[in-house]
Amino acid sequence: MNTDANRMNMMTAKELTRIILAKEEIFILDVRNENDYNDWKIEGESVEIINIPYFDLLDGVDEALDKLPDGKKLLVVCAKEGSSKFVAEQIVDAGRTDVHYLEGGMKAWSEYLEPVKIGDLKDGGSLYQFVRIGKGCLSYMVLSKGEAAVIDTLRMTDVFEQFAKEQGVQIKHTLDTHLHADHISGGRKLAEQSGATYWLPPKDATEVTFDYEKLEEGQGITIGSTTLRIQPIYSPGHTIGSTSFIIDDQYLLTGDILFIESIGRPDLAGKAEDWVGDLRNTLYNRYKELSQDLIVLPAHFGKVTELGEGGRVMAKLSDLFLHNPGLNIQQEKDFRSAVTENLPPQPNAYQEIRQTNMGKITPSEEEQREMEIGPNRCAVHDK
Amino acid sequence: MKTDILVDTKGMACPMPIVKAKKALDGLLPGQVMEVHSTDKGSVNDFQAWVKQTKHELLKHEEENNVFKFFVKKV
């Protein structure tokens, strides 16, 4: 970081991610309007954050200064960047030091992906998780002998292309565990750009307007060599087509069915009542039959407490059966009410996002960005 | 609608639309009406929150050919 104590400094989303993952103390002044702030903000165990809209600071920042601790790293954040610079500059003029603004604002925060290595595979390949820390989305890349597959690809396809290039692998497959409702899938675009095959569960793809390969249980996908297999497991509940993957007999990618501290919600395609039974069966029967030593890798996290070492989001299946509240509801009727009643608000623009992922509408880059603003809200307990 | 001042912030990004609007509003007399034009979609929510918080009156707001128009009466 290029830090000059007496100037306003720029901080990138990558630098902020590093600070949050290292649990370094930071004080954030968010100058967006109150509604946007309450809907979605930067979170972290070492983050202290307050909200004063920039339009309350047009006549000066005195009101804000009283609330900002001296001697602590300060980051001013707004939607895009302009207002945070406007406020940060005045704070520096008032004599404060170690003052930063977030480059690209919450827009950049929403789009930043941090790649973290999950582990090595038996044949010498490796598995990476891409943590979209601002929005709580997770993608995966499986690499083996010069080839790669990307699972639950996010919209920022250039990140995956760049990473594959650095690792010297060619992306051969992109797979989605289900038709996403909280973010726009980059799976189809990445497949087109890389000459890869795009795979979707057919039961989620009945209305799609493009060609895809069908993800079906029993049909493995091979990467790099015959030793590495991605094994689809039909696991409905969040959507009717939801499919989990077992990779290298070690990892279980659960999509939006099972998270670390919560479970998926069954209502985002308007079918809560119909899909409750499927969700329960997947969680309490299908997953029970799998090896309990599998490492669960979900498509989301809801709380920062789910971020482990270095930002990794992972847990052993047996541990989740012990500690995840969603896997410990004994009575079916209690389960039914837990996943259909008092659910958090639905993700921003979730219907338009589903339409986009089906290829029915094609919003511009800017519109896609707007549609994705906010937290993911795919779990039943996320508030 | 009869307006007393037009503040054109087309092409400007946050925070300028509200900075300009505030300056113009400060120069008005109670009862006078300010019209603000903006092309910054992100300012729409901010503008409404700002007017609400200043206790002035947002008479109406509309969108026409990607231009957001706000009419604010000074109280």
Side-chain angles (χ1 to χ4, degrees), chain A residues 205-220:
Chain A
T206 51
E207 295 179 53
V208 305
T209 60
F210 46 80
D211 291 333
Y212 67 97
E213 285 294 320
K214 291 177 181 166
L215 274 173
E216 278 163 329
E217 187 162 321
Q219 265 198 312

Side-chain angles (χ1 to χ4, degrees), chain A residues 91-143:
Chain A
I91 294 172
V92 170
D93 288 345
R96 293 296 184 102
T97 54
D98 209 3
V99 179
H100 308 256
Y101 69 90
L102 181 63
E103 182 192 34
M106 291 301 280
K107 182 170 75 74
W109 184 238
S110 167
E111 296 189 341
Y112 179 69
L113 295 181
E114 173 85 3
V116 287
K117 189 173 176 179
I118 294 297
D120 291 319
L121 304 175
K122 287 174 210 149
D123 75 336
S126 52
L127 176 61
Y128 282 82
Q129 184 177 57
F130 289 74
V131 183
R132 187 175 182 181
I133 188 167
K135 198 174 158 65
C137 304
L138 303 164
S139 292
Y140 297 89
M141 192 184 288
V142 186
L143 303 92

Side-chain angles (χ1 to χ4, degrees), chain A residues 81 102 104 107 133 142 154 160 177 217 224 228 285 302 314 327 330 339:
Chain A
E81 178 178 292
L102 181 63
K107 182 170 75 74
I133 188 167
V142 186
L154 293 163
F160 302 100
T177 51
E217 187 162 321
L228 178 68
N285 299 318
M314 60 196 286
L327 289 177
Q330 302 313 321
V339 300

Side-chain angles (χ1 to χ4, degrees), chain A residues 174-176 178-180 184-189 191-192 197-202 204-214 353-362:
Chain A
T174 66
L175 305 81
D176 280 346
H178 64 288
L179 188 84
H180 293 281
I184 293 161
S185 171
R188 182 159 54 114
K189 188 174 157 200
E192 280 166 11
T197 308
Y198 181 39
W199 300 78
L200 267 179
D204 276 4
T206 51
E207 295 179 53
V208 305
T209 60
F210 46 80
D211 291 333
Y212 67 97
E213 285 294 320
K214 291 177 181 166
I353 291 176
R354 293 183 75 248
Q355 302 271 315
T356 307
N357 287 337
M358 288 186 222
K360 288 184 173 178
I361 54 171
T362 41

